[in-house]
Structures are given as structure tokens and as C-alpha cells.
Amino acid sequence: MSKNIVLIIGASSDIGLDLIKNIDEEALILAHYNNSNEKLLELSKTIKNELITLQSDLVKEEEINKLISTIEENHGTPNKIIHLAAPKFENIRFKDISWNNFQNDIDISLKSIVLLLSNFLPKLAKQKKGKVVIMLSSVVMNVPPKALTQYTTVKYALLGLVKSLASEYSDKNIQINSISPSMVETKFLDNINEKLVELSAYNHPLKRNAKVEDITPIIKMLISNESDYINGVNIPITGGGFF
């Protein structure tokens, strides 16, 4: 078995696919997806590392637990965990939000990583080595955009999780960090008005939104030995924009 076991939750996302393509260390890559693993299977034919796809609907707790059991029984404990999963970005004003909107975001983005880490972190603590990277957003910096209440609330909860776990496991040589990109042009924005995406680029100092290639090198660094002295940090990736 490979020395490194890299678990990517939300691996079928544009960022997940690009990250897998750029992992150059020897590793077994466990790639989670929800609906389709077609692009992951195509990618597996072009990379040097072994890639195994794992399906799970993160809304369902029993499926998350099944995912954890499958990983442990068949592959062992992943020492590098990247959490990218989130519902597609959508503007909804607070007056129009139902609790189900909140619950869906909580389940996919927060509950899934809490359950995964509650199982894997104690095992990594015994090994005294591990890396965790959680995708946040620039909404947790300065004033968040309007009509993103449920998204912003969950991202702040994830930030709290990163900070508290980094503190609790600081003496176990486990680095737990997050990244906060500004708007990234991926399929994650499919439900956003195209004019809002264009306006975001127009108002940016570089006159463009972030690209996948702006994000993955930072994740790659955070799961490498280069981040051994970085812990509990939320790295903004905003290209000089203030959000």
C-alpha cells in the first residue's frame, strides 16, 4: 500500500479533478463523488497514482458512516484529507430561506467533515502525522455578500471547526488548515446569474475571477511537507481583492 493515502471529499468538482491531476507524490487517492464518477475514471487513466472512486450522498448520515467503514476496511486511515464538498452556490434572500436550505448546507459541508474527522483524527493522533485542508470562502472575511446567509453561516462554522481542531491536535503533528478563495469560475456557479459572475470579475483588481489553477497549488502545498509548520491558518486566495 502507498505510504500516503489521500482522501478527497468532493473529488469530482473542478478543483478536485485538477488537484488529483497535480498530485505528484506517490499516493493512493480515494476520490469521493456523489452523482457521477465519469470524469474521475477518465482521469485515472492519465495519472501515475492509483485512484479509487467512492460514492456517497453526504446528505445521508448512514452513507457517510458507510463511506468511513469502506475506507477503513479496504484502505486504512487516510493521512491527508481534503474537504471540498458543498452545495452549488445560489443566491437566496434570508426571507426566502427555509430551514431545509440551512440543513442541506449543514449536512453536505459541515456534518460530513465532522463525522469523518471524528473517526480519523484520533487514529492520526496516534500516528502523530496528518494533514487536513478544508475549503472555505472569502465570505468569512470582511463583509459577506448579500443573499448568501446559509452559505456564509456554514462557512463560518467550518472556520470555527478548523481553528478549534488545530488547537486541540496541535501537539499531535497534525496540520489542520483552510483556504478561502474569492469567486472561482467553475461549475459550482451554475446556479448564479451570469451577470453577477461578470460583475465580480469587473470589480476585481485583476479584472477576472479566480481560476482552478489559482487554488490547487495552495492545497497541494498544504498537504505537503512544506506546510509542517503551518497550522490553524485560513489562507485567503483573492488576488488582491478585498471581500
Side-chain angles (χ1 to χ4, degrees), residues 57-171:
D57 183 352
L58 300 181
V59 171
K60 301 174 181 177
E61 186 170 339
E62 63 272 19
E63 290 207 19
I64 301 172
N65 291 328
K66 182 180 177 182
L67 174 65
I68 293 169
S69 296
T70 299
I71 292 169
E72 287 198 310
E73 291 171 8
N74 298 325
H75 312 293
T77 300
N79 63 316
K80 301 186 179 187
I81 300 171
I82 303 101
H83 190 270
L84 305 173
K88 281 191 176 181
F89 203 72
E90 189 172 7
N91 289 107
I92 307 176
R93 293 197 174 275
F94 183 68
K95 66 181 181 65
D96 298 320
I97 298 174
S98 69
W99 175 248
N100 286 337
N101 295 125
F102 271 97
Q103 191 68 61
N104 189 63
D105 277 42
I106 289 169
D107 288 343
I108 294 174
S109 296
L110 181 61
K111 182 175 70 175
S112 60
I113 190 60
V114 167
L115 292 176
L116 286 159
L117 293 182
S118 66
N119 184 80
F120 292 131
L121 279 182
K123 297 175 176 65
L124 292 177
K126 291 180 180 179
Q127 299 175 14
K128 287 193 175 291
K129 190 171 186 181
K131 306 279 186 182
V132 177
V133 181
I134 297 178
M135 174 71 76
L136 301 186
S137 164
S138 60
V139 300
V140 301
M141 298 179 290
N142 301 318
V143 180
K146 296 178 180 178
L148 286 176
T149 304
Q150 80 280 11
Y151 179 80
T152 301
T153 300
V154 172
K155 292 300 184 182
Y156 267 103
L158 285 167
L159 178 59
L161 182 69
V162 168
K163 295 291 186 181
S164 59
L165 292 181
S167 174
E168 186 166 341
Y169 286 89
S170 60
D171 61 341

Side-chain angles (χ1 to χ4, degrees), residues 8 10 13-23 82-85 133-138 141 151 155 177-189 204 206 208-224 234-240 243:
I8 306 175
S13 63
D14 293 334
I15 292 174
L17 292 168
D18 193 67
L19 176 62
I20 291 169
K21 184 172 63 177
N22 286 284
I23 293 177
I82 303 101
H83 190 270
L84 305 173
V133 181
I134 297 178
M135 174 71 76
L136 301 186
S137 164
S138 60
M141 298 179 290
Y151 179 80
K155 292 300 184 182
N177 297 291
S178 58
I179 60 171
S180 284
S182 54
M183 185 176 285
V184 188
E185 294 202 3
T186 68
K187 60 188 177 186
F188 184 65
L189 302 180
H204 193 280
L206 299 180
R208 70 172 178 86
N209 293 314
K211 299 180 292 185
V212 168
E213 294 79 9
D214 298 315
I215 312 304
T216 50
I218 309 303
I219 301 175
K220 185 179 174 182
M221 181 274 292
L222 288 173
I223 61 171
S224 75
N234 178 39
I235 300 178
I237 309 173
T238 64
F243 297 90

Side-chain angles (χ1 to χ4, degrees), residues 183-200:
M183 185 176 285
V184 188
E185 294 202 3
T186 68
K187 60 188 177 186
F188 184 65
L189 302 180
D190 286 352
N191 295 335
I192 294 294
N193 188 305
E194 187 176 331
K195 290 183 178 179
L196 293 177
V197 178
E198 293 174 356
L199 185 62
S200 173

